[in-house]
Amino acid sequence: MATTLVHQHKSIAPPKGVEVWDVDPYDEAVLTNPLPFFDALRAKGGLVYVPRYEILISGRYEETREIFYDHARFLSSRGVGMADFKLEEPWRPPSIVLEVDPPEHTHNRRVIMRALSPSVVRKLEQDFVEDAERLVDEVLAQGEIEAVAAIAEAFPTHVFPRAVGIKQPDARKLVDYGAMVFNAVGPDNELRQRVMARAPEIVPWINEQCDRSRLTEDGIGATIFAAADAGEIGEAEAGMLIRSLLSAGVDTTVSGIGSALWCLAQHPEQFQYLRSEPTNLSGPAFEEALRFCTPVQAFFRTAGQDTTVSDIEIEEGTKILCVLGAANRDPAKFENPEAFDIGRDARGHLALGVGVHSCVGQIIARAEGRAILGALAERVSRIEFAGEPKWRPNNSMRALESLPLKLS
Ligand code: OVM
């Protein structure tokens, strides 16, 4: 029997004791200015029910961490977006690392983990630093720049595809695919439909890059195909893991670096502090930017069984939106969370998730962040706004549309 799913997932009634909040977390005004939503969400309880989507939302640190950490009760295999893959056909073949549970997840993740290991990234890091220094010299010579294009997009789209071993990278297609992937986890709203309309020009190109013939023999991609040669995974799976690198490795770091620049422009005293010790503080500065302006604002999990969180009864099939950006500003976890303070201990933030699905590329992401912030701190004496920054609405990613800066 064919049933129409109103919300792309099972219909769920509000659990006893949770506040019902008629908010639209996907309203463009919320997506581009999420802080008031975060505060209200945490104030209303550990879980809140949103009738227009029949979902639960979690915005406090403790509950968000509990749900994200417990992959056995809160599944990824039914999709990390609003659509339940058990009931709706996904827009693309599911990721074999993001949209899967253990034990398959464990097996596939191990292959990528090895390809992105600390020793691999250590070898890349010197190149990242040199590229960052070259880029900073270039933008410094221009004086006024639009920093989303000139730094936030330029840097990751240069260093990451090269590290993967993409022979013919196309920065625009990589960034636009990221926009599709991260908008796809939202409801089927206008925003999602607008980016999905471009799938025919972007998806085939992405899929082509996942073929072994498109990859160099010395990159991260080649290491993944070596696991196929060793019989650990199939050739098709290796290609799917390349797709994961291209899905998760570009927009995330573009957003993280852009937001870090925005934070430093807004807090000149923090940039001066960073300049006092670029080597020691570029890591903590990037970490604090991840907490303060969390790139992946929210992912869903699906309750695989009837369960409880903070005494709230959750029915099997419930979609729970875990708002990592709100959890990262929870005063119960972070002292004075509304202060951007690169001297704080930001560890424990949920920007890179927690548990078995935590960001598998975090070592390389951090190396990129440190390289660019370190180069800025070494070469630039002041970062100022040269116009109004604009945020770009996205169903899961906090990202800038434009960031006019003056560097001196
Ligand atoms: C993937 C992937 C992994 C992490 C994040 C992501 C939605 C995608 O494996 O395709 O963004």
Side-chain angles (χ1 to χ4, degrees):
M1 185 186 68
T3 49
T4 312
L5 296 170
V6 180
H7 305 289
Q8 310 161 273
H9 58 83
K10 192 170 145 187
S11 188
I12 295 293
K16 283 188 292 294
V18 300
E19 186 156 335
V20 174
W21 185 20
D22 187 19
V23 67
D24 185 358
Y26 297 98
D27 186 310
E28 293 202 6
V30 174
L31 296 175
T32 50
N33 177 27
L35 300 187
F37 164 71
F38 291 171
D39 291 344
L41 175 62
R42 284 191 315 268
K44 286 172 188 294
L47 290 171
V48 171
Y49 179 85
V50 174
R52 78 177 68 209
Y53 299 117
E54 298 191 12
I55 58 173
L56 293 179
I57 316 191
S58 137
R60 290 184 184 171
Y61 185 86
E62 189 186 319
E63 285 81 2
T64 304
R65 189 182 193 287
E66 175 177 340
I67 295 163
F68 247 55
Y69 191 70
D70 194 337
H71 58 83
R73 287 189 295 154
F74 301 106
L75 308 178
S76 288
S77 57
R78 288 163 75 169
V80 301
M82 192 174 289
D84 185 345
F85 288 1
K86 215 168 127 174
L87 306 171
E88 270 233 332
E89 171 128 35
W91 71 281
R92 59 175 195 168
S95 161
I96 65 168
V97 64
L98 175 76
E99 294 153 333
V100 64
D101 301 318
E104 301 93 305
H105 169 264
T106 319
H107 182 81
N108 297 335
R109 178 171 170 121
R110 192 171 294 136
V111 174
I112 316 188
M113 209 139 56
R114 214 184 302 125
L116 296 173
S117 73
S119 65
V120 171
V121 177
R122 217 175 296 126
K123 290 199 196 84
L124 294 169
E125 190 145 14
Q126 192 48 42
D127 285 346
F128 288 4
V129 169
E130 283 163 23
D131 285 318
E133 290 172 349
R134 204 171 307 127
L135 180 62
V136 169
D137 285 342
E138 261 174 52
V139 292
L140 205 42
Q142 293 167 39
E144 287 198 10
I145 55 163
E146 195 292 285
V148 170
I151 304 176
E153 292 184 350
F155 187 65
T157 57
H158 180 65
V159 303
F160 187 70
R162 184 187 60 200
V164 173
I166 304 289
K167 285 182 190 162
Q168 286 173 288
D170 180 330
R172 193 74 258 145
K173 287 205 169 63
L174 289 165
V175 168
D176 290 350
Y177 187 62
M180 292 180 57
V181 163
F182 287 95
N183 275 300
V185 299
D188 194 20
N189 54 8
E190 204 231 303
L191 196 49
R192 187 182 195 269
Q193 286 166 12
R194 208 190 311 143
V195 294
M196 284 301 180
R198 306 199 35 227
E201 18 163 346
I202 299 167
V203 173
W205 183 86
I206 289 288
N207 290 338
E208 280 162 26
Q209 309 315 307
C210 299
D211 193 89
R212 182 171 225 167
S213 65
R214 299 295 178 109
L215 296 163
T216 63
E217 278 165 26
D218 57 358
I220 292 164
T223 313
I224 288 175
F225 274 98
D229 291 338
E232 259 182 279
I233 52 172
E235 187 95 0
E237 279 75 41
M240 285 295 280
L241 293 180
I242 307 297
R243 194 194 69 175
S244 285
L245 296 177
L246 302 184
S247 302
V250 178
D251 243 31
T252 47
T253 44
V254 168
S255 158
I257 291 169
S259 293
L261 292 171
W262 179 80
C263 290
L264 292 168
Q266 268 219 326
H267 300 89
E269 80 296 344
Q270 295 292 311
F271 183 59
Q272 294 312 318
Y273 180 42
L274 171 60
R275 286 184 67 221
S276 72
E277 280 184 76
T279 314
N280 290 331
L281 290 175
S282 55
F286 191 59
E287 223 52 44
E288 173 66 345
L290 291 179
R291 181 194 72 81
F292 196 75
C293 268
T294 304
V296 181
Q297 298 264 30
F299 268 162
F300 282 88
R301 291 292 188 260
T302 312
Q305 59 195 88
D306 292 347
T307 185
T308 62
V309 168
S310 297
D311 294 329
I312 294 159
E313 289 177 17
I314 299 172
E315 178 185 336
E316 184 278 333
T318 301
K319 281 280 179 182
I320 310 170
L321 183 63
C322 298
V323 186
L324 308 169
N328 284 341
R329 284 174 181 251
D330 187 343
K333 172 67 182 176
F334 298 101
E335 200 177 309
N336 197 6
E338 306 304 331
F340 176 72
D341 173 9
I342 69 172
R344 80 160 73 229
D345 184 0
R347 282 177 304 177
H349 70 68
L350 298 177
L352 301 168
V354 65
V356 300
H357 286 284
S358 71
C359 176
V360 71
Q362 57 184 276
I363 304 175
I364 197 164
R366 286 185 169 122
E368 290 179 41
R370 278 197 306 272
I372 201 79
L373 296 189
L376 286 164
E378 299 269 13
R379 283 153 198 257
V380 175
S381 57
R382 269 194 317 176
I383 302 179
E384 294 161 288
F385 289 113
E388 270 295 300
K390 282 197 193 63
W391 294 91
R392 177 185 293 170
N394 181 297
N395 283 331
S396 66
M397 183 75 83
R398 178 134 171 92
L400 285 154
E401 168 75 28
S402 66
L403 176 63
L405 292 181
K406 179 167 181 275
L407 306 182
S408 34

